[in-house]
């Protein structure tokens, strides 16, 4: 490998259909576009080699690197792109940029206090070793400041960009509908709070499409149990992981995008839905009000009747005030090129 200066850890791209995959992919593409001569290199699995172009530098990620870290003699800066990485240059003499997305692990009630304590110790070690800390929202940075000692480290907030690169499709979707539907997307886990959504289907003929990988079968069954309680189980559809083309079709054709998550460091799907000018209705938890701003609508309560009212009032307001253009303008504020520009400024400050 020829001498390079900046290593971008894209190890998590081995897991497609995840937020970290899209974060690494879109940020890296923007970095290559903005700074083709910046001596960038990408740490990722061999099967993804050349994903950012055949003329780029790649370092193969191997599981053995958890124990024996690869040589960094030609590297000046290592960008660790997420806080839970198992590949961190603790004992290497180079500058480190650490991006922290969220501290969701600390709020996971299924985790023992012992595991949470170990998690905190691991993150603190990474913070202590880092030269610059980046958070993906004001909320995330405030959360980090509350739980960790930053020791006057340099910090920045760099928002994610909008993931959408429009694609056209002529194939028939497995779950294409000719009736109005609400749409949401995310890994099927409790923090996404999807179980509060089925009551929204009462007193209307809407369907609810939930796209995403099922991480917890028990939680999926809980969602369906609530759907049965409200006699709407035939209108709740789980698609599993979807292609980019299918996802964009759902965004474009949904009546509204509903996202009641209670634990987000940013919330990429919010910006994706806004890109298409759709009404988005969010929870008021964690980073979502910061990202949605006054272009979004909000569930101020998860009580079924209150949520039904919010849905009805939000759709009425959206239609009466022609909000699509305003919502698209909000999405345009979040750009991967701008994110990459800010990261490049940080890298250059460390040389």
């Amino acid at each position: 490998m020829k001498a390079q200066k900046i290593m971008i850890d894209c190890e998590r791209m081995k897991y497609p259909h995840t937020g970290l995959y899209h974060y690494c992919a879109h940020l890296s593409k923007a970095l290559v576009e903005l700074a083709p001569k910046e001596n960038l290199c990408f740490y990722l699995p061999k099967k993804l080699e050349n994903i950012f172009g055949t003329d780029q530098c790649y370092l193969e990620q191997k599981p053995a690197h958890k124990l024996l870290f690869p040589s960094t003699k030609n590297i000046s800066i290592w960008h660790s792109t997420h806080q839970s990485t198992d590949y961190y240059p603790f004992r290497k003499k180079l500058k480190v940029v650490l991006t922290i997305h969220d501290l969701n692990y600390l709020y996971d009630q299924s985790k023992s206090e012992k595991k949470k304590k170990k998690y905190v110790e691991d993150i603190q070690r990474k913070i202590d070793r880092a030269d610059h800390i980046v958070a993906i929202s004001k909320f995330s940075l405030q959360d980090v400041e509350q739980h960790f000692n930053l020791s006057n480290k340099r910090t920045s907030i760099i928002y994610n960009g909008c993931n959408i690169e429009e694609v056209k499709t002529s194939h028939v979707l497995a779950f294409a509908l000719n009736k109005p539907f609400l749409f949401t997307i995310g890994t099927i886990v409790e923090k996404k709070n999807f179980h509060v959504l089925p009551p929204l289907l009462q007193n209307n003929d809407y369907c609810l499409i939930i796209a995403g990988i099922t991480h917890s079968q028990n939680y999926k069954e809980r969602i369906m149990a609530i759907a049965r309680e409200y006699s709407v189980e035939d209108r709740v559809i789980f698609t599993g992981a979807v292609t980019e083309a299918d996802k964009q079709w759902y965004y474009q054709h949904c009546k509204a995008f509903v996202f009641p998550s209670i634990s987000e460091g940013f919330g990429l799907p919010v910006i994706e839905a806004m890109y298409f000018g759709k009404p988005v209705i969010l929870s008021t938890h964690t980073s979502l009000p910061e990202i949605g701003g006054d272009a979004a609508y909000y569930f101020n309560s998860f009580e079924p009747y209150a949520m039904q009212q919010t849905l009805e009032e939000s759709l009425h307001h959206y239609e009466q005030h022609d909000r699509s253009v305003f919502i698209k303008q909000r999405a345009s504020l979040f750009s991967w090129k701008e994110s990459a520009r800010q990261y490049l400024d940080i890298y250059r400050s460390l040389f």
Side-chain angles (χ1 to χ4, degrees):
M1 184 182 74
K2 66 179 182 179
Q4 299 291 331
K5 292 183 178 179
I6 305 167
M7 183 67 69
I8 316 297
D9 179 2
C10 297
E11 173 262 334
R12 284 302 168 108
M13 287 184 67
K14 65 187 177 186
Y15 300 114
H17 310 296
T18 63
L20 282 174
Y21 176 96
H22 289 293
Y23 170 85
C24 292
H26 287 278
L27 175 61
S28 297
K29 288 177 184 177
L31 287 168
V32 168
E33 184 176 349
L34 282 179
K37 298 180 180 180
E38 194 71 32
N39 288 334
L40 300 169
C41 198
F42 301 95
Y43 179 66
L44 39 62
K46 187 172 181 59
K47 65 179 181 180
L48 296 176
E49 189 172 277
N50 299 329
I51 192 170
F52 304 123
T54 56
D55 57 341
Q56 297 301 315
C57 165
Y58 298 93
L59 173 63
E60 181 183 351
Q61 174 267 325
K62 300 178 180 179
H65 290 164
K66 293 179 183 179
L67 300 175
L68 183 62
F69 206 78
S71 171
T72 59
K73 64 181 180 180
N74 296 321
I75 304 301
S76 297
I77 296 170
W78 185 282
H79 180 184
S80 186
T81 54
H82 68 102
Q83 69 281 355
S84 298
T85 181
D86 292 319
Y87 305 90
Y88 200 81
F90 284 110
R91 298 179 180 85
K92 300 295 182 177
K93 293 182 179 180
L94 72 172
K95 300 292 184 179
V96 176
V97 176
L98 171 63
T99 296
I100 299 179
H101 294 257
D102 59 63
L103 300 179
N104 291 343
Y105 195 98
L106 291 181
Y107 306 109
D108 187 342
Q109 296 181 357
S110 69
K111 307 298 183 185
S112 69
E113 290 304 313
K114 182 178 180 180
K115 287 184 176 180
K116 289 181 182 180
K117 183 174 183 290
K118 184 177 180 180
Y119 172 83
V120 168
E121 291 172 348
D122 178 62
I123 301 299
Q124 186 64 64
R125 284 182 65 222
K126 289 171 179 171
I127 289 173
D128 291 344
R129 172 65 184 83
D131 296 278
H132 199 120
I133 309 295
V134 176
I136 62 171
S137 65
K138 292 178 183 177
F139 170 81
S140 288
L141 181 57
Q142 290 168 355
D143 211 19
V144 170
E145 290 172 336
Q146 180 181 345
H147 289 91
F148 296 95
N149 177 13
L150 298 184
S151 301
N152 297 315
K153 298 273 183 181
R154 284 185 284 178
T155 63
S156 299
I157 297 166
I158 301 180
Y159 290 118
N160 294 338
C162 181
N163 284 352
I164 297 297
E165 295 175 355
E166 289 194 53
V167 295
K168 296 182 186 263
T169 179
S170 58
H171 75 281
V172 178
L173 280 73
F175 298 102
L177 298 173
N178 58 5
K179 60 168 56 178
F181 65 91
L182 307 176
F183 179 55
T184 195
I185 187 170
T187 306
I188 312 303
V189 290
E190 289 194 14
K191 69 181 183 180
K192 296 300 182 183
N193 206 33
F194 291 149
H195 69 278
V196 305
L197 295 176
L200 291 176
L201 306 185
Q202 277 200 315
N203 304 317
N204 57 56
D205 63 349
Y206 298 160
C207 290
L208 170 65
I209 292 183
I210 303 175
I213 301 166
T214 298
H215 187 269
S216 171
Q217 187 63 37
N218 287 340
Y219 185 59
K220 181 178 179 180
E221 291 172 1
R222 180 184 174 191
I223 296 169
M224 288 308 298
I226 292 174
R228 287 190 292 272
E229 179 183 343
Y230 284 86
S231 301
V232 297
E233 66 272 21
D234 60 328
R235 290 188 281 137
V236 176
I237 301 166
F238 290 89
T239 68
V242 292
T243 65
E244 189 65 23
D246 286 4
K247 180 178 70 173
Q248 291 187 25
W249 189 94
Y250 291 130
Y251 281 133
Q252 289 173 301
H253 293 87
C254 68
K255 189 74 174 175
F257 178 74
V258 287
F259 201 62
S261 177
I262 56 175
S263 188
E264 295 292 328
F266 182 83
L268 282 170
V270 176
I271 302 304
E272 293 180 338
M274 284 184 164
Y275 175 90
F276 293 104
K278 305 305 292 191
V280 299
I281 313 176
L282 315 174
S283 82
T284 58
H285 290 250
T286 59
S287 64
L288 294 181
E290 179 183 347
I291 304 308
D294 59 358
Y297 302 96
Y298 296 93
F299 294 116
N300 292 308
S301 167
F302 295 133
E303 191 275 324
Y305 179 71
M307 291 187 69
Q308 292 163 13
Q309 275 195 311
T310 296
L311 175 63
E312 183 178 343
E313 292 169 0
S314 300
L315 292 178
H316 178 76
H317 183 270
Y318 174 83
E319 291 162 3
Q320 290 296 308
H321 294 84
D322 193 19
R323 297 258 291 173
S324 182
V325 172
F326 179 64
I327 291 169
K328 289 179 180 179
Q329 289 173 342
R330 177 71 182 179
S332 70
L333 298 177
F334 298 89
S335 159
W336 282 114
K337 283 188 178 180
E338 179 57 29
S339 301
R341 192 172 290 112
Q342 292 179 57
Y343 274 111
L344 286 168
D345 286 343
I346 292 173
Y347 302 155
R348 291 163 181 164
S349 75
L350 296 175
F351 287 141

